[in-house]
Amino acid sequence: MTSNASSSSLSRPRRVLLKISGESFCPENDRGVSMDSVNHLAAQIVDVAQSGVQIAVVMGGGNILRGAQFKAANSSIQEATAHYMGMLATVINGLALQDAIEAQGQPTRLMTALPMDVVAEPYIRRRAQRHLEKGRVVILAGGTGSPFVTTDTAAAQRALELEADVILKATKVDGIYSEDPKKNPNATFYSELTYEDAIRQNLRVMDSEAFAKCAEHNMPIMVFNFREPDNFKKAVQGEHVGTIVRSAKN
Ligand code: UDP
């Protein structure tokens, strides 16, 4: 079920879908946008983009607002409204990431699933593909444009339609454990899992809908710690960092 062999790494991807949670945009236990954190992420993205790997980033928004949590704390808001607020939060993050990446000399395009012509291009699949082919980092904000799901679903959806080789899910932990390692220091770390293992053990890799979509289409997912310098670069160079989830056949 698990393996630590470096031979189990992914072959070098040509195009990756990087899913960044909003929590990477601020220090631990904080909220909002800290440009120090964003610049740190941007530097890693620029480094990889300049090595020739095509990068589409799906931006989260949890550092600002998550729809389900906001609804739970505020009975006067409709749940759909809260989710749209969450989608707008991802646009705020996307704008910050765009400037941070471009300040480091790398061209980008910000595309939103919710049309917002004054600040970003609308998401059009074929246009996004052209941007990627031209070496621009494509930042995808606004999630799927539909409420009641999270940006994990957007990541699965965009990875499939943009024909990414892998979803790289950047988190604040080293990968997937049998339990929360903060609550149980003896939790088992998995360096490799099949989709079936993850489902059988009820391990939350992504939202269940997003995960099912990846499993159905055999889209590999690598979960890794973005706070460790060079992890992103190592992952695209074919090194095994974090946890890889994929079909047993690969
Ligand atoms: N959201 C949505 N539809 C989408 C993507 C996101 O309604 O397609 C909303 C949802 O409320 C979500 C919020 O936007 O909680 C912010 O996204 P997410 O929670 O995925 O951010 P992350 O946890 O990755 O920072």
Side-chain angles (χ1 to χ4, degrees):
M1 180 190 303
T2 61
S3 153
N4 288 307
S6 59
S7 60
S8 60
S9 61
L10 293 165
S11 53
R12 280 172 179 248
R14 176 190 61 101
R15 177 176 293 173
V16 299
L17 187 300
L18 177 66
K19 160 72 209 294
I20 303 182
S21 302
E23 64 195 8
S24 322
F25 268 37
C26 53
E28 189 103 32
N29 301 323
D30 205 350
R31 296 186 66 74
V33 179
S34 147
M35 282 313 283
D36 282 347
S37 302
V38 182
N39 290 334
H40 174 72
L41 289 170
Q44 296 181 60
I45 292 170
V46 171
D47 196 17
V48 168
Q50 294 187 348
S51 75
V53 177
Q54 298 177 16
I55 308 171
V57 181
V58 165
M59 203 50 254
N63 54 320
I64 300 172
L65 190 144
R66 289 195 175 98
Q69 288 170 359
F70 194 72
K71 167 62 192 168
N74 297 281
S75 58
S76 57
I77 198 98
Q78 292 178 21
E79 183 158 358
T81 308
H83 287 299
Y84 279 107
M85 291 167 75
M87 284 184 256
L88 293 176
T90 73
V91 180
I92 293 176
N93 286 339
L95 284 165
L97 183 63
Q98 178 170 44
D99 273 13
I101 294 175
E102 292 202 341
Q104 297 179 39
Q106 171 64 36
T108 67
R109 289 294 184 274
L110 176 63
M111 305 185 99
T112 57
L114 297 166
M116 215 176 290
D117 296 351
V118 180
V119 293
E121 290 182 21
Y123 173 72
I124 297 169
R125 182 177 72 91
R126 293 171 73 107
R127 194 181 283 175
Q129 285 174 321
R130 288 290 295 142
H131 290 321
L132 290 167
E133 284 158 9
K134 288 182 176 173
R136 298 165 182 151
V137 173
V138 175
I139 304 166
L140 301 166
T144 61
S146 297
F148 299 101
V149 293
T150 72
T151 52
D152 279 355
T153 299
Q157 178 67 36
R158 299 300 184 230
L160 291 169
E161 66 186 87
L162 294 174
E163 300 175 309
D165 299 311
V166 58
I167 296 177
L168 299 172
K169 187 171 155 78
T171 68
K172 58 182 180 182
V173 290
D174 290 334
I176 302 172
Y177 290 81
S178 55
E179 297 167 63
D180 182 346
K182 285 196 179 133
K183 292 185 186 147
N184 179 1
N186 297 320
T188 309
F189 174 76
Y190 299 119
S191 64
E192 176 141 24
L193 287 166
T194 62
Y195 301 112
E196 296 74 20
D197 289 334
I199 292 168
R200 201 177 316 114
Q201 295 186 66
N202 207 12
L203 301 171
R204 277 188 62 79
V205 181
M206 298 177 113
D207 291 349
S208 49
E209 194 184 318
F211 188 75
K213 197 165 258 183
C214 291
E216 183 185 347
H217 295 278
N218 203 8
M219 170 63 65
I221 307 161
M222 185 184 264
V223 180
F224 70 104
N225 188 342
F226 218 62
R227 294 192 203 263
E228 288 291 322
D230 292 335
N231 260 357
F232 181 37
K233 190 175 186 179
K234 285 181 188 165
V236 300
Q237 286 176 340
E239 269 189 59
H240 191 149
V241 292
T243 305
I244 298 174
V245 188
R246 58 182 160 186
S247 142
K249 282 177 243 121
N250 289 346

